Structures are given as C-alpha cells and as structure tokens.
C-alpha cells in the first residue's frame, strides 16, 4: 500500500514530522517497509533556458544549444525536435545521473562538438513515457532553481505492509483514521476532503441504469449510476501526480478516477462504456466454459462457481477482480455506467486463485471492503466524474442488500489489563475505540464523548463494531485494538507465576544433548539438512547395507531404512554440486535403523572447496580428514564426551578411505565417532567428484554426566605462569602421534596440562616428531631438579613406545 505524505494529510490534520509518522505507523501495526523521496533522484536537475539553437555542423538531426542554467551560458548538443531558443526546460550537468537512461553524464564530444550535459525528456527523468521531445516548462519557471522543488516532486512516498486482517487500511482514509486514533492529528470529515456539500448520492431526473444481481451469494449488492455527456480526456494534474507517485500509470480521467478512489478510500469501482453494452447489466454465476477478455488482454475461461457481470450478449467483468476489454471506456466514450458493488470475499479469493489472476480490486475485495459504503462510494465517484468530465447523472439504481448487520460486543475494560498486560484508564480506552470508529451505546463519535455521558455506561460496555472492521470478532480483538494504539512497547515485562496445570520443562537428557549439539554444529558454520529416513537399496549398500527393508515401499527410492546418515547428506551434496555450489558443509541429527535399535547419530559431510582460490593462497584448498576430525572433536566436546581421553584407532570401515580415516574411541570397544575421507568407490555411488570428508558421531554412546545437584566451582586462574618444554624424538615408523602424546600426558596428570605435536618430518628413513609440553606449577614455582625429573619421566615414557630423544 503506497501513498504520499501530502495525500495522507488531505485526510489527516497533523503537524507530525515524516519520521514520527513512519515510526507511529509501525508501532500501531502498519509496518512501514520504506519511505521513498522521489525528489532525491531529481535533485541535480535544474530549470534552464535555451538561449540559442543552431544546426549541428556535422548532423542534420542535432542542434547545438546555448543553455543558461543559472551560472552562465553552456554549450549542449541536443537531438530533440522541439528544442528552440527561448524554451524553458530541465537541464542535467556533467556528473549527473539520469535515472531513466541509467547513465551518468560526462563531458562529451558529439560529432566533433563539445556537449556539457543534456536537456531532458520526461522518460529520461522517469516522469512519463514521452520521449518525443524535451520537457517544456511554463514561462514563469525560475532559471537555476531545482526542478524537483519547482515541480513539487519532493513529496515522500510511504510503502506500508498491510496484514490480511486490516482491510480497512487498504485505503489512505483508513490509515489516516488509525493515526488520528494514535494521537497524531484529527481525521477530517470525508465530505470536506472531497469538497462536497454532503455524501448523499446526487440523483438526476433520468432513470437509473438497468442493473440487478442474480447471485446474492457472490454479489449481495449491486449499485450503479449512469452519467451522460461525459468527455474522457486526461485526468487533472493533481490526480495524475498522485497515481504516478505510487507507481500507477495514468490512463484516462474515467479510469484514473476509479483507481484514485480505490487507493484513497479502499473502495474499488468499475466504469463501463454504456454504448458498448447490450441491454442491462446483471451480476450472475458464470456458465461453464464462458470466456472473457479482461483488461490485461488475456482470455479467461470461467466456471459456474464464479461471479461475473454480464449483459444480454456477453460477460463484461470478472466480478470484483477485473473488467472486460470490450466494454472499457475510451477517448470516444460519452456515456458511462459507474458500478459500485459488494462482492463476498471468499468467492473473490476462490475465483482469483482458480484463474491465477491478481489485481488491486481483488486485493481489496477478498479482504473485505466496507459493505455500508456503497452509496457514499458511488456518490463520490459520480461527483468526480461530473466535476472532471462533465455530464449529467441519472438516478441511482440499487439491487440487492449489502450485509451491513451490526455486531455488538460486550466489553469489560479490565480485560485490557488481564489479557493484554497493560493497565489503561477506561476513559482512554473509550476514546481509542471511538476514534477507531467503534460506538458505545449512545456515544457514536469522539466529539459526542463526555464524562457525564460516559458515566452512564456500565462496566460491561456494549461496543458496536464498524462495518469496515470485519476482523473484529470478540473482546480479545478490542483489547488488541486498545493495546496497539496505546503502545505495545508500554506493556511491562512481568514473569508469570506457574499455576497448577502448567507443565514444567520435560526435556530428557537426550533431547537436551541433541539441542546442544545442533546449536554447536550451526555455530561452527555447518548447514543443517533434513533427509529421508528411507533410502534406495544402492545407497544403503554403499555404506554397508541396511538391516530393515520395507515390504511395500511407496517408491523404490524409499525402500531401505537408513543404516547411516551419510547417504542422505551425500545425495544433498551431489545435488548442490550439480547446481553450481562450490562447497557444501552439511550436518544432520537423526536416527539410524540397526538390528539392535535406533541410536541417535550426527552425520556431517564436507564437500568441495574449504577455501576458494585467491591471491594469497593461490589454488583452492579442499577439505581433508583433519577437518572432519576437528569437527567431530568439537561436537563431541559439546556433547560432553571426555575428548582429552579419546583415542584415534584403526580405520573407519570399507566405505572410508584407507589410511585417511579413523575412529574416536573411549577405550578399545566404545566407538564415539568415525571420521576421515570417504572411499572413491563410495563417492562414485553418489555421483560425487573430488575428495569428500565426513564424520559420523554416535551420540547414544556419550555417557551423560551425573547431576551432582551443585553448581561447579568458579574458575580460578593459576597464580603462577606455566612452563613449556620442547622434546624432539626419533620415532619408529607407524607410531601414531596420538599414542606418543597420550603417553607423555600420562606421566604426571596433575602437572602436565597440555601436550601436542608441533613438528613432524622424515629424513634418511627416520621420522622426527617434536612435542611441546605445558607444565603448570601449583602454589610455588618449579625448581630445576623438579623440571629435570619430569623431563626424565617424559623421555622414559616415550622410550616404552620405541621413541628416543633426538641428539
């Protein structure tokens, strides 16, 4: 929903700033998606006078102009046929961006003649489609002034997101009403806005047009009025400016009036060329197979559920959605029928969905327009037509009855505090509801409110809902109205007391572990995937085969219950690669289906480039087994596994690459994870190229920590600085670094807080492995003898593994 600031102020008497209006709209539930200042793009353009116009020496269709833009004569080459001496137009100098041409002007030489800018057309400034000549301004246009200021193009445009329940705010009038209720001004009387003596229909002496509704379910009410002797030219400048500002293209004054009223009042209308009709108009159900050529030029085939407007010969309107091309007005139109009907929202929505047809009218009718505004809407439309097109109106013809039954809700003002959490004075609540159009007993308008009259209302207020608010259904909706206008930001944060029957947290330790690991995986940059629990037989066989097969699968691709989470992730990675993804970092938490149970498992796949190629690293870097191991260790740590005590043992299995995979174990039997590079044969089964790292964590094998009932002691940093010592060993071929590090850590667990390999190389058949050992003193510093004793123990522990201190 778009509208300009000046348009809003035609309905709302206010001095509020642009920023205040924008903030208030969002605060009361009408979210502002943007505020666009059209004058900003036109700020560099100025009014300029053409002093002289001479023929270009090298081109017959070009002229060399001398232009004064307020700073003295400048030479400009121009190809517009209407460029001439004395003309006042719009000039853009060197460095100016031209929005309609998407270019920035430069000092240029055109056929050997220097040009210092350009005189602009309407299309180049995105002010219309005219490109036959440059813009011509009136003789009083001041040279050198901003064109945007001179033309009044500095009116900010609001773009507001209207939720489906707020059909009343699909017009500028409804938005102004909400702002007035929020205290940002006073809503002007509608007759004053349109400069009408009253909103009563102006009925002429001639009989009204022949209209009726034979479909009371889809079109309960069909009102119309004819106007003869009209002239259908261009709409007045103010109306065209409003429509252009919100992105609508002016067509003709008759069409523009219907579009203007639709946006201004949220009241869609339609105008027929009476000379193109055969007999009267009737709202009826379409006949199966009937066709209509709509105003968008497309032909639509209708069915018997759809409401249409037709004459004796053909369908002319898809009721409430779009008019027909054959009966549309044109420049030759002299007699029109103005339609103002009410269409049932549910029928409009169903027809629009079936035909895949959207329009501004459908957007409003399917939300629900005001059924009580037919006479007023028709009166305003007829007044605008006679005011700008001339002509004589006929009598008003009414067929059917709109659903205007009033709804009264018994409302206790204390419910605002009890249900909404905000205490608002009853008098304030009453004024809010009255300003929004609700009535309360004898009080039917904010001006009718008085403390004495208000005092006559009992605690339970009889609140009558206005006809334009079909979303209000009960007392809770009235609480919402009061709270949003008063300010939801004023609702204090109050913790609720747990009452009997309210459940306490019931997450099991396994569920908490799953949530914790899921968050950790996402925080490490992995993308969560959710794949099928069923696999094709070939995919399951690639990872060792499945234990359970569905006897009657819905598809051969969903036949085997997954023995591993990796097949689904590998399929997803292959799909990403086929769509051009350079890398896939995927994880999934779910169940594997084994012969002895359904253990909780986390699978992850790292495919593609770990780092893209760049000027620093050169070629792209692929993932390797150490990346998978790092992810596995980090996630196991978050799961609560004692990662410092884990051992890397053996290879992960036949589906994994030998020598580039392993298992993480807690003792020789308890496998917590498998990690490494997948075997090329496995990758081929999933149509994957290049190396792929993966890991599978068996979360069911992680022993949950016992609840001690006490909070852990606070962290106390060591009082003394740690001591680091480096040891370089010559080790036997095949000795795992992990085995050496674990042996060193076991020398003195109280003193040795860390040990890790920092250098590794092989020379002349021998492997050298250097380990940094961190020693943390207790309440006093180490003496040399203590350090030597620890070093001797480290060397002795390494010697048991066949490692010797390098000389």
């Amino acid at each position: 929903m778009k509208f300009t600031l000046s348009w809003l102020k035609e309905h709302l008497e206010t001095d509020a700033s642009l920023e205040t209006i924008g903030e208030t709209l969002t605060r009361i539930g009408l979210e502002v998606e943007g505020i666009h200042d059209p004058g900003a793009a036109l700020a560099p353009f100025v009014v300029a006078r053409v002093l002289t116009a001479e023929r270009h020496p090298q081109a017959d269709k070009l002229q060399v102009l001398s232009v004064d833009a307020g700073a003295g004569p400048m030479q400009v080459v121009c190809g517009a046929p209407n460029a001439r001496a004395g003309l006042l137009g719009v000039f853009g100098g060197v460095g100016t961006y031209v929005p309609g041409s998407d270019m920035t002007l430069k000092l240029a030489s055109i056929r050997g003649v220097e040009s210092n800018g350009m005189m602009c057309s309407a299309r180049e400034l995105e002010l219309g489609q005219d490109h036959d000549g440059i813009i011509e301004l009136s003789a009083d246009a001041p040279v050198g002034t901003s064109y945007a200021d001179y033309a009044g193009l500095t009116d900010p445009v609001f773009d507001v997101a209207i939720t489906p329940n707020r059909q009343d705010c699909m017009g500028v009038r409804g938005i102004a009403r909400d702002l007035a209720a929020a205290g940002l001004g006073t809503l002007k009387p509608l007759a004053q806005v349109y400069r009408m003596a009253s909103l009563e229909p102006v009925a002429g002496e001639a009989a009204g047009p022949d209209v009726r509704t034979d479909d009371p379910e889809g079109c309960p009410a069909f009102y119309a009025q004819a106007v003869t002797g009209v002239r259908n030219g261009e709409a007045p400048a103010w109306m065209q400016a409003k429509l252009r500002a919100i992105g609508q293209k002016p067509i003709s004054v008759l069409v523009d009036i219907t579009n203007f009223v639709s946006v201004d009042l949220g009241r869609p209308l339609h105008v027929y060329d009476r000379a193109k009709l055969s007999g009267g108009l009737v709202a009826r159900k379409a006949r199966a197979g009937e066709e209509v050529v709509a105003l968008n030029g497309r032909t639509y085939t209708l069915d018997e559920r759809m409401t249409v407007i037709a004459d004796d010969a053909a369908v002319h309107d898809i009721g409430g959605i779009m008019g027909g091309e054959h009966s549309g007005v044109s420049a030759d139109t002299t007699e029109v029928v103005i339609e103002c009907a009410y269409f049932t929202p549910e029928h409009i929505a169903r027809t629009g969905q079936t035909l895949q047809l959207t329009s501004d009218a459908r957007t409003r009718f399917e939300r629900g327009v005001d059924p009580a505004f037919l006479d007023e809407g028709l009166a305003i439309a007829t007044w605008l037509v006679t005011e700008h097109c001339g002509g004589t109106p006929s009598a008003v013809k009414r067929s059917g009855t709109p659903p205007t039954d009033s709804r009264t809700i018994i409302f206790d003002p204390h419910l605002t505090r009890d249900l909404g959490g905000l205490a608002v004075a009853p008098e304030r609540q009453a004024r809010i509801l009255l300003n929004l159009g609700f009535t309360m007993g004898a009080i039917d308008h904010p001006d009718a409110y008085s403390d004495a009259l208000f005092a006559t209302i009992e605690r339970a207020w009889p609140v009558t809902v206005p006809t334009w608010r079909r979303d209000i259904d009960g007392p809770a909706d009235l609480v919402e109205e009061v709270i949003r206008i008063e300010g939801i930001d004023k609702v204090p944060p109050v913790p609720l007391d747990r009452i009997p029957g309210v459940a306490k947290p019931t997450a099991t330790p396994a569920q908490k572990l799953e949530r914790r690991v899921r968050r950790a995986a996402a925080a490490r940059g992995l993308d969560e995937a959710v794949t099928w629990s069923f696999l094709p037989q070939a995919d399951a066989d690639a990872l060792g085969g499945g234990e359970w097969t569905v006897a009657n699968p819905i598809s051969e691709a969903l036949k085997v219950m997954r023995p591993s989470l990796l097949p689904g992730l590998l399929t997803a990675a292959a799909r990403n690669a086929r769509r051009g993804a350079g890398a896939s970092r995927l994880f999934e938490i779910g169940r594997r289906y084994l012969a002895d149970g359904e253990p909780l498992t986390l699978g992850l796949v790292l495919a593609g480039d770990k780092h893209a190629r760049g000027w620093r690293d050169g070629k792209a870097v692929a993932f390797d087994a150490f990346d998978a191991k790092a992810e596995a260790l980090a996630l196991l740590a978050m799961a609560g596994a004692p990662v410092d005590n884990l051992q890397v043992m053996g290879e992960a299995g036949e589906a994994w690459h030998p020598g580039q995979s392993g298992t993480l174990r807690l003792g020789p039997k308890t496998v917590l994870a498998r990690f490494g590079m997948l075997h090329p044969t496995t990758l081929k089964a999933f149509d994957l190229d290049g190396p792929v790292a993966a890991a599978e964590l068996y979360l069911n094998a992680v022993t949950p920590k016992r609840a001690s009932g006490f909070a852990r002691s606070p962290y106390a940093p060591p009082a003394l600085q740690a001591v680091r010592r480096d040891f370089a060993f010559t080790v036997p071929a095949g000795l795992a670094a992990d085995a050496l590090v674990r042996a060193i850590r076991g020398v003195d667990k109280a003193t040795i807080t860390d040990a890790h390999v920092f250098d590794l190389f092989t020379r002349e058949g021998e492997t050298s492995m250097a380990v940094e050992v961190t020693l943390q003193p207790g309440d006093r510093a180490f003496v040399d003898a203590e350090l030597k004793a620890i070093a001797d123990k480290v060397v002795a522990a390494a010697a048991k593994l066949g490692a010797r201190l390098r000389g």
Side-chain angles (χ1 to χ4, degrees):
M1 174 66 191
K2 292 183 178 181
F3 55 91
T4 64
L5 178 61
S6 63
W7 197 342
L8 176 68
K9 288 187 175 182
E10 290 181 3
H11 290 272
L12 183 69
E13 188 71 45
T14 182
D15 295 326
S17 67
L18 182 69
E19 293 74 17
T20 301
I21 292 174
E23 292 171 0
T24 304
L25 284 171
T26 298
R27 179 174 63 81
I28 63 178
L30 305 174
E31 182 182 358
V32 177
E33 294 191 322
I35 300 177
H36 170 61
D37 183 2
L42 302 179
F45 296 92
V46 296
V47 176
R49 183 189 303 276
V50 178
L51 302 176
T52 61
E54 304 292 339
R55 179 181 173 183
H56 193 290
Q58 303 296 329
D60 293 339
K61 294 184 178 181
L62 297 178
Q63 295 187 75
V64 180
L65 309 181
S66 176
V67 175
D68 180 15
M74 289 182 291
Q75 183 171 278
V76 175
V77 176
C78 180
N82 63 331
R84 62 188 182 276
L87 179 144
L88 283 166
V90 183
F91 172 75
V94 174
T96 299
Y97 175 74
V98 183
S101 302
D102 190 24
M103 67 175 184
T104 300
L105 298 176
K106 300 178 181 179
L107 182 64
S109 177
I110 302 177
R111 295 286 185 93
V113 177
E114 184 179 272
S115 182
N116 294 276
M118 71 181 298
M119 299 293 288
C120 303
S121 67
R123 191 168 75 183
E124 287 162 341
L125 299 186
E126 295 186 333
L127 299 177
Q129 296 302 312
D130 185 10
H131 195 57
D132 294 333
I134 57 178
I135 296 172
E136 295 191 37
L137 304 178
S138 60
D140 61 350
V143 172
T145 60
S146 167
Y147 171 67
D149 292 338
Y150 165 75
L153 299 175
T154 56
D155 197 4
V157 178
F158 290 88
D159 187 358
V160 179
I162 307 297
T163 53
N165 65 312
R166 293 306 309 277
Q167 67 283 341
D168 58 307
C169 288
M170 289 302 293
V172 179
R173 179 77 177 175
I175 292 174
R177 182 188 298 112
D178 265 25
L179 288 172
L184 247 62
T186 304
L187 187 67
K188 298 179 183 179
L190 189 54
Q192 175 186 332
V193 173
Y194 279 90
R195 299 178 178 85
M196 298 171 62
S198 74
L199 296 178
E200 294 296 325
V202 178
E205 296 179 358
D210 180 14
V211 300
R212 73 178 190 275
T213 176
D214 290 347
D215 180 18
E217 184 182 26
C219 179
F222 187 0
Y223 291 9
Q225 190 168 16
V227 182
T228 59
V230 300
R231 299 179 305 277
N232 187 24
E234 289 189 351
W238 63 266
M239 187 179 293
Q240 292 191 50
K242 281 182 168 59
L243 295 177
R244 284 197 184 100
I246 63 173
Q248 293 195 14
K249 177 185 176 182
I251 299 173
S252 69
V253 62
L254 288 171
V255 175
D256 293 349
I257 285 173
T258 63
N259 291 337
F260 172 75
V261 173
S262 180
V263 177
D264 192 47
L265 303 176
R267 172 68 253 187
L269 304 162
H270 189 63
V271 178
Y272 300 90
D273 187 330
R274 197 172 190 179
K276 298 178 181 178
L277 301 177
S278 299
L281 290 172
V282 57
R284 61 170 173 81
K285 292 294 188 187
R287 302 182 183 95
E290 273 190 309
E291 293 185 343
V292 60
V293 180
L295 286 172
N296 62 5
R298 296 181 59 185
T299 301
Y300 294 92
T301 302
L302 311 173
D303 64 43
E304 60 276 7
R305 299 175 303 163
M306 301 174 181
T307 301
V308 298
I309 308 296
D311 61 9
D312 296 342
V315 173
H316 290 286
D317 191 339
I318 304 172
I321 299 179
M322 188 172 288
E325 188 176 66
H326 297 144
S327 58
V329 296
S330 65
D332 300 326
T333 298
T334 59
E335 187 174 1
V336 297
V337 175
I338 306 172
E339 167 208 307
C340 186
Y342 179 82
F343 297 95
T344 306
E346 294 77 11
H347 286 69
I348 294 294
R350 183 174 62 237
T351 299
Q353 291 166 2
T354 302
L355 298 178
Q356 294 294 296
L357 177 58
T358 60
S359 68
D360 287 344
R362 173 191 167 184
T363 300
R364 288 166 172 81
F365 274 124
E366 72 179 353
R367 296 176 184 225
V369 301
D370 183 2
F373 196 71
L374 271 68
D375 273 323
E376 292 86 345
L378 187 58
I380 290 171
T382 302
W383 183 87
L384 287 171
V385 169
T386 56
E387 182 74 9
H388 300 291
C389 304
T392 303
S394 71
V396 176
K397 181 64 178 292
R398 301 175 180 87
S399 177
T401 304
T404 57
D405 295 339
S406 62
R407 292 171 292 134
T408 299
I409 299 171
I410 304 302
F411 179 62
D412 181 353
H414 293 89
L415 193 62
T416 302
R417 178 200 60 206
D418 298 340
L419 187 61
L422 181 63
V424 182
E427 295 80 2
R428 170 64 177 156
Q429 295 189 54
R431 289 189 179 277
I432 288 174
L433 294 175
L434 290 169
N435 279 308
L436 288 173
F438 296 86
T439 61
M440 299 166 51
I443 310 174
D444 60 357
H445 191 273
D447 294 340
Y449 178 90
S450 69
D451 293 337
L453 184 58
F454 178 71
T456 64
I457 300 177
E458 300 294 334
R459 172 175 174 176
W461 300 346
V463 178
T464 302
V465 181
T467 53
W468 59 80
R469 291 302 301 273
R470 67 191 296 265
D471 59 306
I472 302 298
D473 191 53
D477 297 317
L478 298 178
V479 170
E480 180 183 353
E481 293 301 295
V482 172
I483 293 293
R484 74 179 181 86
I485 296 299
E486 182 67 10
I488 197 170
D489 55 315
K490 295 181 180 179
V491 178
V494 179
L496 297 177
D497 295 330
R498 187 180 299 278
I499 62 176
V502 177
K504 294 183 178 180
T506 57
T508 64
Q511 290 171 329
K512 292 178 180 178
L513 180 147
E514 181 178 343
R515 295 173 187 172
R516 195 165 60 244
V517 175
R518 176 178 282 109
R519 286 196 297 268
R524 291 183 63 82
L526 301 176
D527 297 315
E528 184 172 11
V530 179
T531 66
W532 291 102
S533 297
F534 303 90
L535 302 173
Q537 183 71 58
D539 290 2
D541 292 343
L543 270 296
E547 296 287 348
W548 301 98
T549 301
V550 181
N552 187 25
I554 61 175
S555 167
E556 283 298 313
L558 302 173
K559 184 176 182 179
V560 182
M561 300 188 74
R562 64 186 180 194
S564 166
L565 271 66
L566 296 183
L569 294 174
L570 291 172
T571 300
R575 187 182 302 114
N576 290 348
R578 287 194 297 272
R579 285 161 174 74
S584 292
R585 297 173 171 85
L586 304 176
F587 83 95
E588 180 177 10
I589 299 178
R591 302 282 174 177
R592 295 179 297 138
Y593 300 93
L594 308 180
D596 57 351
E598 302 174 8
L600 183 65
T601 305
L602 182 148
L604 66 90
V605 165
L606 306 174
D609 296 335
K610 177 181 178 181
H611 298 298
R613 63 180 182 176
W615 64 271
R616 296 183 63 182
D617 301 323
K619 294 183 180 180
V621 178
F623 291 103
D624 59 25
F626 295 104
D627 295 314
K629 179 183 178 184
E631 297 295 339
L633 287 173
L635 296 177
L636 285 174
M638 186 56 67
V643 292
D644 290 339
N645 297 327
L646 297 184
Q647 297 172 271
V648 179
M649 298 179 64
E651 294 175 353
E654 294 182 358
W656 303 79
H657 200 300
Q660 298 183 37
S661 63
T663 61
L664 292 171
R665 303 184 182 226
L666 188 61
K669 295 183 179 180
T670 305
V671 179
L672 297 188
R674 301 180 191 275
F675 70 91
M677 306 304 293
L678 291 172
H679 197 285
T681 304
T682 304
L683 299 180
K684 185 178 180 180
F686 292 93
D687 196 23
L688 276 166
D689 296 326
V692 174
E696 202 164 51
L697 282 59
Y698 310 127
L699 301 178
N700 63 298
V702 178
T703 304
K705 295 181 179 179
R706 294 183 179 180
S708 64
F710 300 97
R712 64 182 181 183
S713 57
Y715 172 70
L720 299 176
Q721 185 174 346
V723 177
R724 291 177 176 81
R725 291 290 185 268
D726 295 342
F727 296 85
F729 297 100
T730 299
V731 300
L735 177 64
D738 180 68
L740 178 60
V741 169
R742 290 173 58 82
I744 293 173
R745 285 181 172 176
V747 166
D748 188 340
K749 295 181 179 180
T751 302
I752 298 177
T753 58
D754 186 36
H756 64 271
V757 175
F758 69 88
D759 188 32
L760 179 69
F761 67 88
T762 300
R763 184 169 56 195
E764 297 179 357
E766 291 188 336
T767 299
S768 173
M769 195 177 296
V771 182
E772 180 186 275
V773 179
T774 303
L775 309 173
Q776 180 60 55
D779 55 357
R780 61 181 181 82
F782 292 118
V783 297
D784 291 343
E786 291 172 330
L787 293 174
K788 184 177 185 306
I790 295 173
D792 291 343
K793 292 179 181 179
V794 168
V795 173
K800 293 180 180 179
L801 300 176
R804 68 180 188 277
L805 196 64
R806 200 173 75 224

